[in-house]
Amino acid sequence: MACAPARLSRVAGMTGLVQVLHAAGIAGLFSVFCLGTGIVAVRWLRLTDGLIVPVGFGCTALIGMLAFCAWWASPGFGASFSLACGLGAAALFASQATDRETRRQMRAATPVLLATLLLAATLLCLVHAAGVPAAKRLTWTLPIDDQLPRMFADRIAASRFTGPIDDHWLASDRPPLQTALLLMLRPFLAQAGLAREVVETLCQLMWLPALAALGGVLRLGRKAVFFGLLFCTTSGFFLVNSIYVWPKLMAAALVVTAVAVVIEFDREGGARRIRIAAMAGALLALGTLAHGGVWFSLLALPALPVARSALRRFGIRGLVVVGMTFLVTGAPWTAYKRFVEPPGNRLVKWHLAGDKAVDTRSAFEAVTDAYSKTPFADIAKARWENAKTVALVPPPMTGEHSDAYLRRLQFFYFVPAIGLPLVGALWMLFLRRTGAADAGAKGLILFSFATVAVWVALMFSPGSTIVHQGSYAPVTLLVFLGAASIARWHISLLVAATAFHAVLFFAVWIVTTPTFDGARLNPFLMAAAGLFMAGTIAVLAATRPAAAVA
């Protein structure tokens, strides 16, 4: 009997090792999807190698939506389709590896993909070091939003299409892309918790290859791209929203990828406008299928100079292709909301009309009713409160510790979520030099602020413009581009700004983060997180962005 605890410990250790190896295999399969489809797409579109991983993720997401349709039609058909997709991706990757040009493209795409995998390992170690769910790891206890996509996937796999997912939400209340990707990989996940966490975390971390590609097509330079990604990697905003896997950062990554593709096309031109138009429309639609908040960014696209320029290059035919591809990509989800589990417009009515009721009214009817019943003075006051919520920093609450206060600020409020890079972004706007890189960065910074203006104007309830109720694209772009601008400061200012940002990050989010239920941090996993983070930064430092000019 004395040997029983030791035997159980060995069994638990072996089980844990098997889970880790399984999760590593799933990460490899995810990488194979992104690399294989990305290389094919980049060749077809004639884009720079820096876009292989983010465009490959977009193609993987399209396959995921096909898997969603297959599982919806029949769980048996869905399982067969997903299995065929996984085996097909592996076969495609293996066949590509024999080609010299493909091997060169793989080598070009590997560093940013490796950095993404290392960062995923860092975050998963941080989560599991405390032995508590991600919703409890870094802040107060968050709601179950991060679990809704996996719960929806389980329901689809069981052919249950109606009724609340939990006590509060219908499946049709939230877009399905993360659910679709889980269904695509379901035959390989075997319902294992860690492997599923790996997929969900990698989906959120697609901001890293998307921003690296954006820096390359903007020709920001190696130093600027490195510091842009370094500040993002050591940002509370990116940390929380990558660990707590609601698909908001994934949506922003897809929009950023679409913008990068259009910038590359606008700069290089060529007889490929219909293909580029189709990919841009699909990526934008996938962004909305990840999270509806990016609609605020889509409505602000006319403020983006490169979008206006690209539309002129596309012409009427290209513009029609963008629209048709957008509609076709979103059609399965539109059909599901309308015919399977209506009304599917709960969040739209909530945010744009201040109405949380689930009823048969359309979003247009709810918005019309809300504005017709609300005096103009109240509407104007609500917009003013929205603007103040974006621009101002609220004071600490009574008895609130400084570390908890700073975490609350960076989670909820726009300016603290960006932090010091906002200074760099504003500095870039007033920079007199007008090179191509500066003009492109300025255009994206203005686009980010235009998104915020749309957000402030459309959110109905006063003071409702807290970060997680909008598009994550502006914060994502402003942190990256602002930090890339800081990289151009004098070396003493650059070192001081980087040190301040890093010390604040580690003090607020690593050293003083709460542990719940009396949990103690696992020193081995915390050390592993540190090593993986160091590896991430080292890989980023050694990476030369494709199309960047040093």
Side-chain angles (χ1 to χ4, degrees), residues 160-178:
R160 291 188 291 110
F161 303 119
T162 58
I165 264 188
D166 67 335
D167 294 334
H168 188 60
W169 295 105
L170 298 174
S172 60
D173 289 334
R174 305 296 181 95
L177 185 56
Q178 190 156 302

Side-chain angles (χ1 to χ4, degrees), residues 199-386:
V199 174
E200 293 166 333
T201 303
L202 285 172
C203 286
Q204 311 324 310
L205 287 178
M206 284 299 109
W207 58 261
L208 195 157
L211 290 175
L214 180 67
V217 299
L218 285 175
R219 301 183 185 272
L220 293 179
R222 182 175 181 177
K223 179 182 176 183
V225 172
F226 168 70
F227 276 96
L229 294 176
L230 177 65
F231 272 63
C232 291
T233 303
T234 53
S235 159
F237 167 79
F238 286 94
L239 175 69
V240 174
N241 291 287
S242 299
I243 282 179
Y244 182 68
V245 290
W246 50 6
K248 299 173 187 282
L249 272 178
M250 177 169 64
L254 288 162
V255 171
V256 170
T257 301
V259 170
V261 167
V262 171
I263 291 174
E264 169 74 4
F265 166 72
D266 187 60
R267 187 182 70 234
E268 299 296 338
R272 50 186 176 146
R273 60 190 180 95
I274 300 304
R275 298 178 183 181
I276 295 292
M279 178 56 70
L283 288 168
L284 292 175
L286 289 168
T288 65
L289 291 171
H291 191 269
V294 296
W295 273 105
F296 294 114
S297 292
L298 268 58
L299 293 173
L301 279 175
L304 184 61
V306 72
R308 299 195 299 270
S309 175
L311 284 179
R312 289 194 295 271
R313 283 178 175 265
F314 285 156
I316 298 299
R317 185 181 174 191
L319 184 58
V320 170
V321 170
V322 171
M324 290 299 296
T325 309
F326 186 95
L327 292 174
V328 169
T329 304
W333 184 236
T334 302
Y336 186 95
K337 290 190 296 181
R338 178 160 185 175
F339 300 112
V340 178
E341 196 171 27
N345 57 8
R346 183 178 184 180
L347 288 174
V348 176
K349 291 191 288 189
W350 182 349
H351 293 316
L352 303 189
D355 188 351
K356 300 181 182 181
V358 179
D359 55 35
T360 58
R361 290 181 303 161
S362 68
F364 179 78
E365 290 172 330
V367 171
T368 302
D369 290 346
Y371 277 87
S372 63
K373 296 175 182 177
T374 306
F376 177 79
D378 291 346
I379 295 172
K381 183 179 178 180
R383 301 304 169 272
W384 175 243
E385 291 298 323
N386 285 346

Side-chain angles (χ1 to χ4, degrees), residues 342-547:
N345 57 8
R346 183 178 184 180
L347 288 174
V348 176
K349 291 191 288 189
W350 182 349
H351 293 316
L352 303 189
D355 188 351
K356 300 181 182 181
V358 179
D359 55 35
T360 58
R361 290 181 303 161
S362 68
F364 179 78
E365 290 172 330
V367 171
T368 302
D369 290 346
Y371 277 87
S372 63
K373 296 175 182 177
T374 306
F376 177 79
D378 291 346
I379 295 172
K381 183 179 178 180
R383 301 304 169 272
W384 175 243
E385 291 298 323
N386 285 346
K388 288 198 301 182
T389 302
V390 168
L392 302 181
V393 178
M397 296 185 291
T398 304
E400 187 175 28
H401 292 292
S402 58
D403 58 322
Y405 172 57
L406 291 172
R407 285 194 294 273
R408 180 169 64 87
L409 288 183
Q410 292 184 30
F411 182 79
F412 283 110
Y413 297 100
F414 183 76
V415 171
I418 301 167
L420 187 61
L422 183 59
V423 178
L426 294 173
W427 175 78
M428 171 60 73
L429 283 181
F430 294 101
L431 195 64
R432 290 188 176 183
R433 286 188 288 177
T434 56
D438 293 340
K442 286 180 180 179
L444 286 169
I445 291 170
L446 290 172
F447 163 66
S448 300
F449 288 126
T451 297
V452 174
V454 172
W455 183 36
V456 167
L458 292 183
M459 293 293 280
F460 186 81
S461 300
S464 57
T465 47
I466 53 179
V467 170
H468 65 271
Q469 293 190 163
S471 171
Y472 274 23
V475 179
T476 300
L477 288 170
L478 289 172
V479 173
F480 175 70
L481 294 172
S485 301
I486 290 173
R488 300 169 61 173
W489 292 0
H490 187 274
I491 185 64
S492 59
L493 289 176
L494 173 59
V495 170
T498 305
F500 174 80
H501 178 82
V503 168
L504 182 64
F505 169 75
F506 283 101
V508 172
W509 293 103
I510 305 300
V511 177
T512 62
T513 50
T515 54
F516 290 82
D517 306 324
R520 298 182 62 184
L521 296 179
N522 183 311
F524 173 77
L525 288 178
M526 290 301 294
L531 290 175
F532 285 131
M533 175 64 87
T536 303
I537 295 172
V539 171
L540 292 177
T543 301
R544 179 182 293 274

